[in-house]
């Protein structure tokens, strides 16, 4: 049934509170109303004409001192990219940016404050490059201005001292030089192809020398990338695919010089420059598909830039490297604990899901130790630092050798195929040369060089490079980003898929609440909601949300007993919420998350909690189990083992209560049994397993959010397409082989003429471009057709 809820005029979400109205326009929250007011006051309400849902729900509540650290000069210097007497340049990452309307609004930032000179948005990276007058507006005020319109900058410790990564312009310049020279050499070669009158001999010589001149930048500059790659491989005693490419370039260039200087021909400058140009095009396309992503993120991307330190003279902002032993830190709600410490004030409720995988926060009292990496989801607390940041649990866990070691190397079946192909070409050239050395010495050199030129493995490299590039582009369009092209082949070979549970199969911290027991009246539900709302514990919040609207102005007296539950008088009724032991006097028999409810000492029932699984998970797991071995490796408890067993089938391996080292060991055992493993996880506790897996995939609700180091990143919205994405990777090899077989046919035709020592430059000039162009058409056509049949974008 279609929803009858009012839609927010700003973000399009349902309006639970219908009382927020401005000019007959309904808003779901005060944040959306505030953004509308700002836009309206500045004459920018045409913003809403750009998109039906132009912005995300602006529910960000920011403390006044949240960006106080941006007033620190040393922090400013580490974040800004340029500053002179008047202007400051800085780049902010804005995770809330998601549509064309966001882009338009941000680029109108100068209309909201006269101190803003310009704001240019890189939508792909979700970054805004801002230039402002620092005498009219401070860096801190810029951050607060962005937050005020719903785009709070995400600034992490990882950004300290990190300059904006520049695009690899050298490769672009090399491509441009190769393209210019190749096009002009082809143009200058047309008289040679079509035949030129003997009377125009001087013009022929001129064109040949001009082609030689145009080939020099390509040979010495544009092809430099292949020289470096081939040399590095040879130093490791490896013959990679760039080695025969370099040999083909050198032989082609040397043969061309010989023909020009001896006036025996025009050479193969067009073929040589064409090889380099097409190779560079393929590599630039591959690089472009995942330039916006960072696959090597570490724990510093999760840490804040600074925290609040408490001293006798007051509060002060301190950067993480300056935190010392025995410092007292103030940790606010939703802030991450940067160093191991002891709670000295307040009651902590620590979410360790990112570190351990445990889905429920852990309550900690004064005097207890809390570890770095946990997030405080209760009120403010104070901790006494007992270990510096560099020695904290989180840092030591991330830096463990077992987590950082990786035996994986970038290898490809094409490299093995190219070695076979190269030796075969050498053998044919040698046989042809020896044959003509015996029967016709004058044709020996022509036969050797012609075979090496015509049988160049560039077609093989082109088929691989362009197919990989197009597959990477297709995967990226479907929100699946790979670190490099060889991950495609690793994906194609996997036979086992291992899932983390919390944050991977489940959707963040959302929980499903199920009530078992005696029926509850509407009034009693309101009283339960009223009592549950007094606790900051996530299970109490879940009950409050389930029970509905609490009472208005009730008579309320309550007491919360840490680790047990909460009890209180609500409008004359004694209501108790808590553990089985607290309410019934008997311990709970299973490991599930359960809260019991009693009224006037009489047990009414219990609330059972389970993680809220992503909507697509059941169907996805049923599809995958038909084709792969499945496993769960989770740091959470086994309370949902029966449900997961039903989803994954009887043959699936289910592992719970797994520490980070345990997860890594489980994958090692699978690999020792001969399985190729794909691991999908989301937290630091998965980092070791992600590195150990043949393919480690980090799942995130946003590709630019923090994810552990991995081989690939998949957005949660793309998870339902996982099977199709794997199938597309499997088809990649078939497409490469099909294109290679067709290119072999061209090589056979060329070699037939080459071994006879009678191959003319015109035939070579026709065969080489035809081979390259056909490869491009075949690879793009087949990969696009495969993606279309799999219903991928």
């Amino acid at each position: 049934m279609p929803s009858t809820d009012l839609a927010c005029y700003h973000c399009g979400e349902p309006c639970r509170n219908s009382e927020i109205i401005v000019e007959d326009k309904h808003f779901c929250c005060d944040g959306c109303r505030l953004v509308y007011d700002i836009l309206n006051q500045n004459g920018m309400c045409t913003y809403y004409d750009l998109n039906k849902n132009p912005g995300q729900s602006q529910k960000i509540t920011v403390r006044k001192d949240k960006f106080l650290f941006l007033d620190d000069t040393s922090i400013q210097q580490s974040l800004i990219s340029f500053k002179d007497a008047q202007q400051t340049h800085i780049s902010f990452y804005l995770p809330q940016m998601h549509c064309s309307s966001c882009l338009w609004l941000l680029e109108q930032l100068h209309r909201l404050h006269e101190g803003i000179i310009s704001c240019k948005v890189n939508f792909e990276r979700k970054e805004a490059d801002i230039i402002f007058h620092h005498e009219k507006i401070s860096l801190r005020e810029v951050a607060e201005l962005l937050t005020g319109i719903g785009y709070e900058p995400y600034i992490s410790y990882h950004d300290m001292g990190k300059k904006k990564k520049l695009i690899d312009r050298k490769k672009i310049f090399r491509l441009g030089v190769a393209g210019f020279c190749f096009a002009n050499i082809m143009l200058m070669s047309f008289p040679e192809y079509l035949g030129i009158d003997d009377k125009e001999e001087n013009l022929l010589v001129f064109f040949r020398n001009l082609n030689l001149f145009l080939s020099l930048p390509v040979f010495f500059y544009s092809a430099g990338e292949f020289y470096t790659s081939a040399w590095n491989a040879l130093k490791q005693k490896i013959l990679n695919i760039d080695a025969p490419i370099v040999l083909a370039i050198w032989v082609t260039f040397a043969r061309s010089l010989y023909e020009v200087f001896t006036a025996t021909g025009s050479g193969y400058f067009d073929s040589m420059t064409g090889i380099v140009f097409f190779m560079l095009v393929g590599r630039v396309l591959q690089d472009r598909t995942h330039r916006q992503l960072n696959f090597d993120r570490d724990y510093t991307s999760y840490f804040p830039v600074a925290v609040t330190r408490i001293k006798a003279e007051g509060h002060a902002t301190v950067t993480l490297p300056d935190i010392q032993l025995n410092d007292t830190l103030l940790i606010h709600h939703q802030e991450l604990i940067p160093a191991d410490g002891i709670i000295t004030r307040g009651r902590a409720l620590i979410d360790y899901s990112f570190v351990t995988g445990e889905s429920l926060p852990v309550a900690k009292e004064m005097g207890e130790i809390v570890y770095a990496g946990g997030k405080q989801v209760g009120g403010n607390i104070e901790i006494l630092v007992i270990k510096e940041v560099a020695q904290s649990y989180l840092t030591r866990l991330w830096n463990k050798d077992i987590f950082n070691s990786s035996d994986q190397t970038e290898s490809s079946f094409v490299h093995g195929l190219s070695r076979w192909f190269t030796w075969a070409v050498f053998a044919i050239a040698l046989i042809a040369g020896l044959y003509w050395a015996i029967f016709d010495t004058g044709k020996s050199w022509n036969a050797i060089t012609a075979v090496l030129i015509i049988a160049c493995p560039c077609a093989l490299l082109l088929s691989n490079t362009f197919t990989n590039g197009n597959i990477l582009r297709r995967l990226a369009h479907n929100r699946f980003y790979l670190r490099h092209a060889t991950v495609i082949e690793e994906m194609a070979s996997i036979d086992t898929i291992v899932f983390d549970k919390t944050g991977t199969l489940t959707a963040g911290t959302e929980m499903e609440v199920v009530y078992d027991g005696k029926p509850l009246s509407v009034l009693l539900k309101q009283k339960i909601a009223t009592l549950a709302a007094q606790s900051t514990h996530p299970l109490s919040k879940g009950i409050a949300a389930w029970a509905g609207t609490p009472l208005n102005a009730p008579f309320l007296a309550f007491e919360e007993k840490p680790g047990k539950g909460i009890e209180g008088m609500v409008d004359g009724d004694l209501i108790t919420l808590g553990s089985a032991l607290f309410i019934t006097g008997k311990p709970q028999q299973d490991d599930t998350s359960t809260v019991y409810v009693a009224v006037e000492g009489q047990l009414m029932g219990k609330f059972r909690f389970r993680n809220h699984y992503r909507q697509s998970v059941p169907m996805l797991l049923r599809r995958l189990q038909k084709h792969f071995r499945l496993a769960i490796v989770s740091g959470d408890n086994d309370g949902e083992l029966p449900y997961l067993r039903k989803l994954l089938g009887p043959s699936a391996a289910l592992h719970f209560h797994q520490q980070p080292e345990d997860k890594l060991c489980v994958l090692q055992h699978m690999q020792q049994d001969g399985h190729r493993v794909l691991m999908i996880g989301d937290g630091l506790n998965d980092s070791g397993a992600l590195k150990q897996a043949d393919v480690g995939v980090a799942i995130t609700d946003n590709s630019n959010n923090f994810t552990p180091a991995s081989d690939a990143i998949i957005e949660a919205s793309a998870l339902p397409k996982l099977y199709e994405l794997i199938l597309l990777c499997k088809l990649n090899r078939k497409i490469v082989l099909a294109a290679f077989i067709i290119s072999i046919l061209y090589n056979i035709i060329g070699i037939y003429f080459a071994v006879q020592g009678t191959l003319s430059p015109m035939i070579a000039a026709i065969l080489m471009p035809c081979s390259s162009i056909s490869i491009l058409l075949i690879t793009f056509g087949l990969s696009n057709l495969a993606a279309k049949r799999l219903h991928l974008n």
Side-chain angles (χ1 to χ4, degrees):
M1 294 291 292
S3 173
T4 58
D5 293 338
L6 291 171
C8 175
Y9 183 74
H10 177 68
C11 70
E13 293 186 2
C15 294
R16 295 182 180 179
N17 186 349
S18 60
E19 298 178 359
I20 305 177
I21 305 174
V22 177
E23 299 177 352
D24 296 328
K25 298 176 177 62
H26 293 267
F27 299 90
C28 66
C29 64
D30 290 327
C32 286
R33 178 191 57 78
L34 175 61
V35 176
Y36 172 79
D37 288 341
I38 294 173
L39 295 172
N40 193 31
Q41 291 169 10
N42 289 273
M44 296 169 61
C45 277
T46 52
Y47 166 74
Y48 294 100
D49 297 331
L50 297 178
N51 197 302
K52 292 182 179 179
N53 301 315
Q56 286 188 335
S57 181
Q58 315 299 320
K59 297 182 174 68
I60 303 172
T61 303
V62 183
R63 304 188 320 272
K64 292 182 179 180
D65 62 342
K66 181 155 190 176
F67 295 106
L68 184 63
F69 63 89
L70 291 179
D71 289 335
D72 187 285
T73 304
S74 62
I75 294 178
Q76 290 181 9
Q77 291 175 347
S78 66
L79 294 176
I80 63 176
S81 55
F82 174 80
K83 184 176 183 179
D84 61 15
Q86 294 182 335
Q87 299 180 2
T88 298
H89 298 205
I90 190 167
S91 179
F92 279 130
Y93 166 54
L94 309 177
Q96 292 85 4
M97 189 193 314
H98 81 293
C99 69
S100 59
S101 302
C102 302
L103 186 151
W104 182 85
L105 174 60
L106 288 167
E107 292 193 340
Q108 302 299 315
L109 200 62
H110 62 279
R111 299 180 62 182
L112 299 183
H113 196 288
E114 62 178 359
I116 303 295
I117 300 174
S118 69
C119 177
K120 295 182 179 179
V121 177
N122 185 326
F123 189 74
E124 192 177 48
R125 295 178 61 88
K126 298 198 174 183
E127 287 184 352
D129 296 324
I130 300 174
I131 303 175
F132 62 94
H133 285 292
H134 47 251
E135 293 182 356
K136 296 181 179 180
I137 185 173
S138 67
L139 180 59
R140 174 185 175 184
E141 290 171 334
V142 171
E144 291 173 343
L145 175 64
L146 289 168
T147 304
I149 62 171
Y151 300 97
E152 180 180 351
Y154 180 82
I155 308 171
S156 70
Y157 180 44
H158 184 68
D159 298 322
M160 294 284 288
K162 174 187 169 187
K163 300 302 180 183
K164 188 175 179 180
K165 185 178 179 181
L166 298 176
I167 298 172
D168 185 5
R169 297 186 181 275
K170 184 179 292 186
K171 189 174 291 186
I172 302 296
F173 291 152
R174 284 175 169 169
L175 175 62
V177 170
F180 173 81
C181 295
F182 171 58
N184 281 280
I185 288 174
M186 289 290 291
L187 181 64
M188 299 299 176
S189 299
F190 264 97
E192 188 86 33
Y193 300 156
L194 301 176
I196 193 167
D197 194 278
D198 294 338
K199 296 178 181 180
E200 304 294 339
E201 185 68 27
N202 291 334
L203 186 59
L204 182 63
V205 173
F206 172 75
F207 281 142
R208 288 176 178 177
N209 284 282
L210 186 57
N211 285 346
L212 168 59
F213 175 76
L214 288 171
S215 70
L216 295 177
V218 178
F219 182 79
F220 290 105
Y221 175 67
S222 297
E225 180 170 329
F226 304 106
Y227 301 156
T228 303
S229 174
W231 174 245
N232 290 336
L234 289 174
K235 287 194 296 185
Q236 303 295 326
K237 298 181 180 180
I238 298 174
L239 186 66
N240 70 355
I241 197 168
D242 286 333
I245 294 297
V246 169
L247 181 61
I249 293 172
W250 285 358
V251 171
T252 308
F253 187 68
R255 175 66 184 271
S256 301
L257 289 178
Y258 170 79
E259 291 191 2
V260 170
F261 289 148
T262 61
T264 57
S266 61
Y268 302 88
F269 296 119
D270 49 356
S271 298
M272 187 271 288
T273 54
I275 291 171
V276 175
F277 173 70
F278 285 120
M279 298 303 125
L280 288 174
V281 168
R283 295 197 176 183
V284 168
L285 288 176
Q286 279 188 200
D287 291 345
R288 188 178 180 275
T289 57
H290 56 276
R291 185 188 302 141
Q292 75 272 22
L293 298 178
N294 182 357
F295 291 88
D296 295 307
R297 294 163 173 157
D298 59 16
Y299 68 95
T300 59
S301 301
Y302 194 54
F303 272 14
V305 171
V307 292
T308 303
R309 180 166 58 189
I310 301 175
K311 288 191 172 183
E313 56 271 21
H315 295 183
T317 300
V318 57
T319 59
L320 265 63
D322 295 329
I323 294 176
Q324 300 176 354
L325 291 178
N326 299 322
D327 279 349
T328 299
L329 305 181
L330 175 62
I331 308 298
H332 298 86
H333 174 64
Q334 291 295 323
E335 275 192 351
L336 182 134
I337 299 170
D340 299 350
I342 298 175
I343 301 175
T344 58
R345 177 173 294 182
R347 180 173 181 267
L349 198 60
I350 309 298
D351 178 4
Y352 282 119
S353 60
F354 184 72
V355 181
T356 65
E358 180 64 41
S359 60
L360 296 178
V362 179
K364 295 287 184 180
E365 300 296 327
M366 287 178 56
E368 293 190 81
I369 295 177
V370 290
Y371 296 100
K375 181 183 289 186
Q376 166 66 349
V377 294
N380 294 351
I381 60 171
E382 295 178 12
I383 66 169
L384 179 68
V385 176
I386 59 174
K387 287 183 181 178
E388 296 179 358
V389 175
Q391 301 298 322
S392 68
Y393 170 75
L394 180 66
T395 308
R396 287 185 288 109
L397 177 61
W398 189 274
N399 292 333
K400 279 187 177 182
D401 291 338
I402 192 171
F403 278 30
N404 291 316
S405 61
S406 178
D407 297 330
Q408 296 183 24
T409 58
E410 293 187 29
S411 60
S412 169
F413 82 97
V414 174
H415 290 284
L417 196 58
S418 70
R419 284 193 289 271
W420 169 85
F421 185 81
T422 301
W423 289 118
V425 170
F426 285 162
I428 293 172
L430 180 61
I431 293 171
L434 291 175
Y435 175 84
W436 288 114
I438 296 172
F439 295 100
D440 189 345
T441 308
K443 293 183 178 181
S444 179
W445 172 248
N446 286 343
I448 292 173
T449 55
V451 169
L452 291 176
I453 291 170
I454 289 300
C456 164
C458 64
L460 171 60
L461 181 58
L462 274 176
S463 63
N464 185 55
T465 301
F466 277 89
T467 305
N468 286 343
N470 202 36
I471 293 294
L472 286 172
R473 183 176 64 87
R474 284 289 184 177
L475 294 174
H477 282 176
N478 288 275
R479 303 293 185 265
F480 188 38
Y481 310 94
L482 305 188
R483 176 193 288 268
H484 46 68
T486 55
V487 178
I488 298 175
E489 295 178 31
E490 296 291 348
M491 286 281 296
S493 66
I494 61 110
D495 58 33
T496 301
I497 302 178
V498 178
F499 291 94
D500 172 50
K501 181 172 76 73
T502 307
T504 302
L505 297 179
T506 63
T509 57
E510 296 181 35
M511 292 181 293
E512 294 180 359
V513 182
V514 179
Y515 173 73
D516 293 330
K518 300 176 182 177
L520 302 176
S521 66
V522 174
L523 179 60
L524 187 54
K525 283 185 179 180
Q526 288 182 304
K527 292 182 178 182
I528 291 174
T530 303
L531 180 64
Q534 311 310 310
S535 173
T536 59
H537 197 284
L539 297 186
S540 298
K541 291 181 178 180
I543 293 173
W546 175 89
T549 307
L551 295 173
N552 290 321
F555 172 76
L556 177 66
F558 69 92
E559 179 184 8
E560 187 170 7
K561 299 182 180 181
K564 297 180 180 179
I566 185 171
E567 186 175 37
M569 293 292 298
V570 185
D571 271 2
D573 285 332
L574 176 64
I575 299 176
T576 310
L577 297 170
S579 65
L581 185 63
F582 181 53
I583 291 182
T584 67
K586 300 178 181 179
Q588 188 172 317
Q589 299 299 316
D590 54 41
D591 229 0
T592 59
S593 300
T594 306
V595 173
Y596 289 77
V597 57
V599 178
E600 300 295 346
Q602 298 296 316
L603 179 66
M604 297 294 293
K606 61 183 179 180
F607 296 96
R608 292 186 292 107
F609 298 82
R610 72 179 187 185
N611 291 292
H612 178 73
Y613 285 84
R614 300 185 190 275
Q615 188 174 3
S616 59
V617 163
M619 183 178 295
L620 172 67
L621 294 180
R622 290 190 183 98
R623 292 187 66 193
L624 291 176
Q625 65 181 274
K626 297 177 182 178
H627 307 278
F628 304 95
R629 294 178 71 255
L630 299 183
I632 298 289
V633 182
S634 174
D636 207 352
N637 61 61
D638 61 356
E640 296 177 17
L641 190 150
Y643 177 72
L644 288 171
R645 175 62 68 193
K646 181 180 178 181
L647 281 182
L648 278 76
S651 61
L654 305 180
H655 304 270
F656 296 93
H657 301 289
Q658 298 293 298
Q659 295 299 314
E661 295 90 341
D662 300 329
K663 293 187 175 186
L664 186 146
C665 291
V666 169
L667 264 69
Q668 286 178 332
H669 289 311
M670 291 180 178
Q671 291 170 325
Q672 289 169 3
D673 291 338
H675 296 292
R676 305 284 295 176
V677 182
L678 181 147
M679 168 73 187
I680 304 180
D682 74 314
L684 174 63
N685 60 310
D686 302 317
S687 61
L690 291 175
K691 286 179 176 291
Q692 179 62 37
D694 296 286
V695 179
V697 179
I699 187 171
T700 175
D701 291 313
N702 186 302
S703 63
N704 289 279
N705 285 348
F706 173 74
T707 52
S710 60
D711 297 311
I713 297 173
I714 187 171
E715 290 193 20
S717 59
L719 195 60
K721 301 178 180 179
L722 180 62
Y723 178 63
E724 286 79 9
L725 296 171
I726 295 174
L727 278 185
L728 184 59
C729 292
K730 289 181 178 292
L731 290 173
N732 174 76
R733 176 176 294 202
K734 295 180 180 179
I735 295 171
V736 171
L737 288 175
F740 179 55
I741 290 171
I742 294 174
S743 70
I744 284 291
L745 298 178
Y746 283 106
N747 282 319
I748 291 174
I749 296 172
I751 289 174
Y752 170 76
F753 292 102
V755 295
Q756 298 181 54
T758 59
L759 185 67
S760 69
M762 185 178 70
I763 295 177
I766 293 173
L767 282 177
M768 295 288 285
C770 285
S771 175
S772 299
I773 292 172
S774 65
I775 291 300
L776 299 184
L777 295 175
I778 291 167
T779 55
F780 275 100
L782 290 179
S783 54
N784 289 339
L785 179 62
K788 184 177 180 180
R789 290 199 169 185
L790 292 172
H791 304 290
L792 298 175
N793 298 331

